C-alpha cells in the first residue's frame, strides 16, 4: 500500500539524515529481497525515489544504495527502473556510476535496461548545488556526532 511505502521512505530518509543508514547492509538486504522476488522492483524504486526527494543527504545516500545494487538490475523484473533512478540521481548530484561488468553485455538493444545503462554510462562529473547541500548536511552530522562517523558519510 502507498501509505506504507511513504512511511518507509520517511524512515529511510530520517536514518540518512541522522547518519545512521548503513548503505552496505541496506543494499545487501535490498538486493536479496529483489532477486528472491520478495519485493517488487517498481515498489522499491518508488520508495527510494520518495526517500531521495526528502533531503539532499537522503538523496545522496539513496544514490549510494542504488550504485551498490546495480549489479542485480539485470536479474530482476523491471531492473531498468533501478538504473533509471540511479541515472537521474547521479545527474542531479553531478557524479558518475561505473557500470558493473555483469551489466555491460546488457547495454545493447532497445530495452529500458539497455537505454538506461547507456544513459548512465554517458554521465560526466560536474558540480551541483544539491551535492554541496548534501555535503553540508553530512558535515553537520559529523560535527554533531563526532569524527567517528565521518567515514560512513
Amino acid at each position: 500500500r502507498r501509505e506504507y511505502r511513504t512511511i518507509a521512505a520517511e524512515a529511510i530518509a530520517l536514518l540518512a539524515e541522522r547518519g545512521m543508514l548503513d548503505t552496505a547492509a541496506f543494499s545487501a538486504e535490498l538486493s536479496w529481497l529483489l532477486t528472491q522476488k520478495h519485493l517488487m522492483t517498481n515498489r522499491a524504486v518508488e520508495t527510494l525515489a520518495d526517500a531521495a526527494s526528502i533531503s539532499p543527504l537522503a538523496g545522496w545516500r539513496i544514490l549510494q544504495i542504488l550504485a551498490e545494487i546495480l549489479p542485480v538490475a539485470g536479474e530482476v523484473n523491471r531492473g531498468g527502473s533501478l538504473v533509471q533512478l540511479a541515472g537521474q540521481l547521479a545527474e542531479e548530484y553531478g557524479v558518475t556510476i561505473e557500470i558493473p561488468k555483469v551489466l555491460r553485455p546488457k547495454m545493447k538493444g532497445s530495452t529500458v535496461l539497455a537505454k538506461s545503462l547507456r544513459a548512465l554510462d554517458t554521465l560526466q562529473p560536474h558540480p551541483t548545488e544539491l551535492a554541496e547541500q548534501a555535503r553540508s548536511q553530512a558535515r553537520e552530522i559529523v560535527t554533531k556526532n563526532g569524527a567517528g562517523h565521518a567515514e560512513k558519510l
Side-chain angles (χ1 to χ4, degrees), residues 72-137:
V72 304
E75 300 174 38
V76 299
N77 188 27
R78 298 192 177 160
S81 61
L82 291 168
V83 181
Q84 281 181 319
L85 182 57
Q88 174 190 330
L89 291 174
E91 176 67 25
E92 290 175 6
Y93 285 87
V95 299
T96 60
I97 298 175
E98 184 176 343
I99 306 294
K101 287 181 183 176
V102 68
L103 290 179
R104 289 253 167 222
K106 298 187 182 289
M107 293 177 72
K108 298 177 181 128
S110 60
T111 65
V112 172
L113 178 62
K115 290 176 184 177
S116 299
L117 286 168
R118 288 193 302 269
L120 185 61
D121 199 40
T122 64
L123 294 179
Q124 297 296 316
H126 61 280
T128 69
E129 180 63 28
L130 197 57
E132 187 51 46
Q133 290 172 358
R135 258 189 298 280
S136 178
Q137 282 185 295

Side-chain angles (χ1 to χ4, degrees), residues 4-24:
Y4 296 138
R5 289 191 294 279
T6 300
I7 292 166
E10 290 171 353
I12 294 165
L14 185 60
L15 289 171
E17 292 169 352
R18 292 185 176 182
M20 299 172 66
L21 182 60
D22 182 341
T23 58

Side-chain angles (χ1 to χ4, degrees), residues 30-108:
L30 184 56
S31 293
W32 185 84
L33 289 169
L34 290 168
T35 58
Q36 299 302 308
K37 297 183 173 104
H38 294 298
L39 178 62
M40 292 173 52
T41 305
N42 61 332
R43 290 182 179 163
V45 168
E46 185 179 307
T47 302
L48 293 172
D50 286 350
S53 72
I54 292 174
S55 76
L57 184 55
W60 175 251
R61 303 297 275 160
I62 295 302
L63 177 56
Q64 291 175 317
I65 289 166
L66 288 164
E68 291 181 40
I69 68 169
L70 214 53
V72 304
E75 300 174 38
V76 299
N77 188 27
R78 298 192 177 160
S81 61
L82 291 168
V83 181
Q84 281 181 319
L85 182 57
Q88 174 190 330
L89 291 174
E91 176 67 25
E92 290 175 6
Y93 285 87
V95 299
T96 60
I97 298 175
E98 184 176 343
I99 306 294
K101 287 181 183 176
V102 68
L103 290 179
R104 289 253 167 222
K106 298 187 182 289
M107 293 177 72
K108 298 177 181 128

